[in-house]
Each structure stands twice: as C-alpha cells, then as structure tokens.
C-alpha cells in the first residue's frame, strides 16, 4: 500500500527505494526470471543480428534485469520493454512493466501513451514474424488470419496487465483514502474529547463559584447580623436588661433563620431535588450540585423568597442591629423578573453586610429607583465613627468575595455594577439591572 509524508517515511523499512523487504525479494525474483528469459531469447537475437552470442545474451540479461527498478522508475521499464520488442524478447518485462505503470500514481495520459506504444510495437512485431514464418514455408495459419493473430497477440500482451494495474491502483488509493479519513476522524474525535474535557473543567469551576456565591449570600448576612447583635447584647447586658432581652431574641431569630436556609440548601444538595429518598444517594455530578445549590437559594422566589417587596424588612433588620439606614424608593414600584428582584435584593443585602463588617455605626443610604426598562439601586455609607470597644467586639471577618459575587450576579443578568470609595471617605455600591432578565453570554 502506498503511503505519503511522515507515514511513508515511517513505513519504509526495506533497502533503498523498497518499503518492505518482501517487495524487494519479489522484485529480485521477477528480475531474475526476466533476465533468464531475455538472456535465452538473446541467443536467437544474436544469430539474427550477426552478433556474438555472449553479446546477445548479455544484452538480454541487462534488459530483463530492469524489473529491479520497476517501483522507482516504471516509465523507464516500459520504455526498455518497448525498445527490445523488435528483438522479440521481454514478454515478462512488458507485462510486469505495464502492470506497474498502470498501478502507479502517474497521470493516466502517460500510462495510455506508453501502453499504446507497447501495443503498436507488439502488433508490428507479430505481423512481421507471422509473415516471415509464412515466407519460410513453416506450417502456420493462413495469410487471411495474420492481421487477426497480430491484433489478438498485441491486445493479449498489453490490455490485461494495464487493466489489472488500473484496478489495483484504484483499490489501493481507495483503501489509502479510507485510512486517511479514519485517521482524520480519530484526530477529530480526540480533539472533541479534549474540548469536552476542557468544557467540563470550565463547568466544574463555574459550579464551584456558583455554590460559593449562593452559600455566601444565604448565610453571611444573617450570621453577620447575629454577630452585631451579640456584640450589642454584650455591651448593654448590665446597663439595659430589657434591650439585652430584645437583642437576645433577635439573635435567636437570626440564628434560626440562618439554620433554616442552610438546612434547606444542604437538603437539596444531598438529594439533588430537595426531596427525601429511601435509597442511598448516588454521587451527583458537580453541575447537578451547583444547580441544586442555586435552586436551594432561589426556589423561594416563586414562593416566599427574597424580593424587592421585602426590602423594608431587610433594612429594618439592620436598623434593629443599631445601623442608621435611610431607605428611599423612586418611581412607581412594579413587578419585575424573579431573577432581577432576587439579584437586586441580594445586592442590597450584601452591601449592608459589608457596612456591618467594615463601617459599623456609619450612616447608610439605600436608594431604589424604578426606571423605564431597568431598576437601579445604590447603597452608600458615610465614614464610620471612631472605633470603640463595642465596634471591636462586633468586628467581623471578611472573605473578600462579597463584591465579586455581587458583580457576577449583576453582569450575569446583563446589568452594570460599580463599587468604590466616595470622596467623603465612605463607600458606594451601585447596580443597574434590566427589568426583564437578560442572561449575558
């Protein structure tokens, strides 16, 4: 089978131009047979030409040995066979040469031209030999059958090897093409597998980020308020017992709400759909886990989950923790997409949590504006007062993911998110969301 490029270089394990030792042995055997045939026929050629017999035999041996180069130079082999046709030698050389030429990758016009020359030479030699035999009185066919005999001999020597070579060459190219297509398909499948693995890794990273964001949004705010209330409780426990009791009740409520939300999320993560199953839970793909986490955090949107209608209650919780919060709403409130309302609620919630963490006691302004096809929200706090013992007790750790999570939520819906310090020493968080969720590609 023919090969090309690097495959051909790898496949060539035989000597010189042979791809395999088996091919070299075959050509050597054919060369020996052809040399023996032409050498034997060289005796008659030397007698007819008036040459010494050793010269005729040597000429025949050299001509017949040309089959050794049939794979490398098939045109040369056919030309040699045509050249020695008048000497009435080289039938094997002609047949094998024409077969090799037809099976090669040479243009078909060259194959047709050389085959035509070989057929014409054989036809002429057959006519001349038949006429000589009749002139010498040898018993032979009648003169009227000489043309038929010559044409039959020319076609019989030329057509079968050419047709067989064309068939073998076409089949060889077909098999080689199928092999190349199979190799190409294998490479494409390997590339697709690599891309699928990359997409799976990307999806796993996305789901990890999504789970972390949902856990942060669901639990961090309430736990932060619990810490603030606990610090206030510690400060007023002896001075104002009634206020301490109220703060303790608020801490208990916050803790129960945080535990309830956390249990709901963990329950969904364990079962995959939020329902109990009698069978042991099978390992879930990370994508299903991320979906479950998001479902646990946002399924209340369709029921009693966070939405803009609960913004007043959210601000009231911060006021109860001792934060001075001013809430203003501009425009006519209207129902928006559930994803938009939940994201707007989470942005305000996380911004207030950050104020509790980093600017305890600072005056805070929460502004919500309903515009034509969008909703804008802004949470801005003034510089925090000088720290005291109570502020130190309520100091909260920061994971550094709050602003990142808010930006991911807003941009994921096609909105705009901006945050940064103000000129007065405070901090501002602003977001604009489309009224209808548009998932960013």
């Amino acid at each position: 089978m023919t090969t090309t490029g690097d495959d051909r270089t790898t496949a060539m394990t035989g000597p010189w131009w042979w791809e395999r030792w088996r091919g070299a042995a075959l050509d050597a055997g054919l060369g020996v047979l052809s040399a023996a045939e032409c050498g034997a026929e060289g005796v008659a050629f030397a007698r007819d030409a008036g040459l010494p017999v050793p010269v005729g035999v040597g000429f025949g041996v050299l001509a017949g040995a040309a089959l050794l180069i049939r794979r490398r130079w098939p045109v040369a082999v056919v030309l040699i066979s045509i050249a020695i046709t008048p000497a009435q030698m080289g039938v094997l050389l002609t047949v094998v040469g024409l077969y090799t030429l037809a099976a090669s990758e040479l243009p078909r016009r060259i194959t047709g031209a050389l085959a035509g020359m070989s057929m014409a030479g054989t036809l002429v030699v057959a006519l001349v030999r038949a006429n000589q035999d009749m002139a010498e009185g040898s018993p032979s066919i009648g003169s009227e059958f000489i043309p038929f005999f010559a044409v039959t001999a020319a076609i019989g020597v030329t057509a079968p090897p050419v047709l067989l070579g064309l068939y073998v060459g076409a089949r060889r190219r077909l098999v080689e093409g199928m092999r190349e297509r199979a190799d190409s398909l294998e490479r494409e499948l390997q590339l697709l597998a690599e891309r699928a693995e990359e997409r799976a890794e990307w999806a796993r990273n996305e789901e990890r980020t999504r789970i972390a964001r949902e856990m942060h949004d669901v639990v961090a705010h309430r736990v932060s308020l619990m810490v603030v209330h606990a610090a206030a409780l510690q400060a007023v426990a002896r001075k104002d017992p009634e206020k301490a009791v109220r703060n303790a009740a608020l801490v208990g409520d916050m803790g129960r709400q945080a535990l309830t939300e956390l249990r709901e999320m963990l329950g969904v993560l364990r079962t995959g759909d939020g329902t109990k199953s009698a069978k042991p839970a099978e390992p879930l793909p990370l994508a299903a886990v991320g979906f479950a986490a998001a479902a646990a955090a946002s399924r209340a949107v369709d029921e009693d989950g966070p939405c803009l209608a609960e913004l007043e209650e959210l601000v009231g919780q911060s006021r109860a923790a001792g934060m001075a919060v001013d809430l203003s709403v501009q425009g006519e409130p209207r129902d928006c997409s559930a994803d938009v309302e939940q994201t707007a609620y989470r942005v305000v919630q996380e911004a207030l949590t950050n104020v509790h963490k980093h600017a305890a006691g600072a005056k805070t302004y929460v502004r919500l504006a309903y515009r034509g096809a969008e909703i804008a929200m802004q949470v801005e706090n003034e510089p925090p007062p000088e720290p005291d013992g109570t502020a130190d007790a309520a100091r909260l750790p920061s994971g550094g993911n709050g602003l990142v999570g808010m930006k991911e939520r807003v941009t994921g819906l096609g909105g705009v998110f901006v945050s940064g310090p103000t000129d007065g020493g405070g901090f501002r968080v602003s977001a604009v969301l489309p009224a209808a969720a548009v998932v960013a590609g």
Side-chain angles (χ1 to χ4, degrees):
M1 181 177 295
T2 59
T3 54
T4 58
D6 296 336
D7 294 337
R8 183 181 182 90
T9 303
T10 303
M12 293 186 64
T13 59
W16 296 328
W17 55 82
W18 285 283
E19 296 180 3
R20 302 178 184 85
W21 282 97
R22 183 179 61 185
L26 175 62
D27 289 354
L30 291 175
V32 170
L33 291 177
S34 178
E37 176 200 358
C38 293
E41 293 171 344
V43 176
F45 168 70
R47 184 180 62 251
D48 296 339
L51 297 174
V53 173
V55 174
V57 173
F59 174 75
V61 170
L62 289 176
L67 282 182
L68 287 173
I69 61 172
R70 71 183 185 93
R71 297 177 189 265
R72 186 68 179 271
W73 295 291
V75 174
V77 174
V78 174
L79 289 176
I80 292 174
S81 69
I82 295 174
I84 65 174
T85 299
Q88 300 181 10
M89 64 173 63
V91 176
L92 180 62
L93 179 66
T94 301
V95 171
V96 177
L98 289 174
Y99 164 81
T100 305
L101 178 67
S104 67
E105 302 295 332
L106 291 173
R108 291 293 167 257
R109 62 178 181 274
I110 296 178
T111 302
L114 292 177
M117 293 172 59
S118 179
M119 180 181 292
T122 304
L123 177 64
V124 171
V125 170
L127 287 173
V128 171
R129 186 171 183 176
N131 288 324
Q132 288 178 350
D133 291 343
M134 289 191 64
E136 293 174 357
S138 300
S140 181
I141 60 175
S143 59
E144 66 275 8
F145 292 104
I146 291 178
F148 175 77
F149 168 77
V151 171
T152 303
I155 294 177
V157 173
T158 306
V162 171
L163 294 177
L164 181 60
L166 291 175
Y167 167 76
V168 172
R171 183 178 179 276
R172 181 184 300 166
R173 287 187 291 272
L174 176 62
V175 173
E176 184 65 23
M178 293 177 64
R179 174 175 293 181
E180 291 178 355
R181 286 194 293 270
D183 293 341
S184 176
L185 180 60
E186 183 178 357
R187 289 192 295 268
E188 291 178 1
L189 291 177
Q190 184 177 1
L191 181 60
L192 289 175
E194 293 175 356
R195 290 181 178 176
E197 181 62 26
E198 293 176 357
R199 288 194 296 269
E201 182 63 25
W202 176 84
R204 286 192 290 268
N205 293 333
E206 288 293 315
E207 294 305 329
R208 290 190 186 99
T209 304
R210 187 177 182 181
I211 293 171
R213 184 170 64 243
E214 298 297 341
M215 294 287 290
H216 181 276
D217 292 343
V218 167
V219 180
H221 178 71
R222 298 197 185 280
V223 174
S224 300
L225 291 180
M226 289 171 59
V227 175
V228 172
H229 282 297
L233 176 62
Q234 182 180 0
V236 302
R238 295 182 180 180
K239 298 178 182 179
D240 192 347
E242 293 184 0
K243 186 175 182 180
V245 170
R246 290 196 300 271
N247 285 343
L250 287 173
V251 171
D253 291 340
M254 293 292 178
R256 282 188 290 271
Q257 292 175 5
L259 285 175
T260 299
E261 292 180 353
L262 184 59
R263 284 170 180 169
E264 289 177 355
M265 176 174 289
L266 293 178
V268 173
L269 290 176
R270 285 177 178 174
T271 61
D273 57 358
T275 59
K276 293 182 179 180
S277 175
K279 298 180 180 179
E282 297 180 357
L284 294 175
L286 187 57
V289 174
F291 178 78
S298 61
R299 66 185 180 85
V301 172
D302 297 331
E303 302 171 359
D304 56 352
C307 59
L308 292 177
E310 301 177 8
L311 203 57
E312 182 67 37
E313 179 183 352
L314 177 65
V315 172
Q317 294 174 356
S318 294
R319 288 172 180 163
M323 180 188 295
V325 186
D326 178 48
L327 173 64
S328 63
V329 179
Q330 300 176 359
E332 185 67 24
R334 62 180 184 276
D335 293 334
C336 301
S337 169
D339 292 337
V340 171
E341 293 213 7
Q342 182 183 359
T343 299
Y345 180 93
R346 293 298 188 194
V347 168
V348 177
Q349 182 187 57
E350 180 59 28
L352 292 176
T353 301
N354 287 342
V355 176
H356 283 295
K357 291 181 179 180
H358 308 293
K363 176 70 174 180
T364 305
Y365 303 91
V366 179
R367 303 181 181 91
L368 180 67
Y370 290 91
R371 301 171 184 171
E374 61 186 18
I375 300 176
M377 66 222 66
Q378 184 182 89
V379 178
E380 180 179 354
N381 64 274
E382 296 178 352
E386 293 297 327
D388 53 18
T390 302
D392 292 340
R395 184 167 300 166
L396 298 168
S398 175
N401 296 318
L403 295 176
V404 175
M406 284 190 283
K407 184 175 181 180
E408 289 175 350
R409 281 182 175 275
V410 173
T411 56
L413 296 179
V416 179
F417 178 84
V418 179
S419 63
T422 61
D423 295 337
F427 198 85
R428 181 187 298 118
V429 173
S430 303
V432 179
L433 289 169
V438 179
V439 179

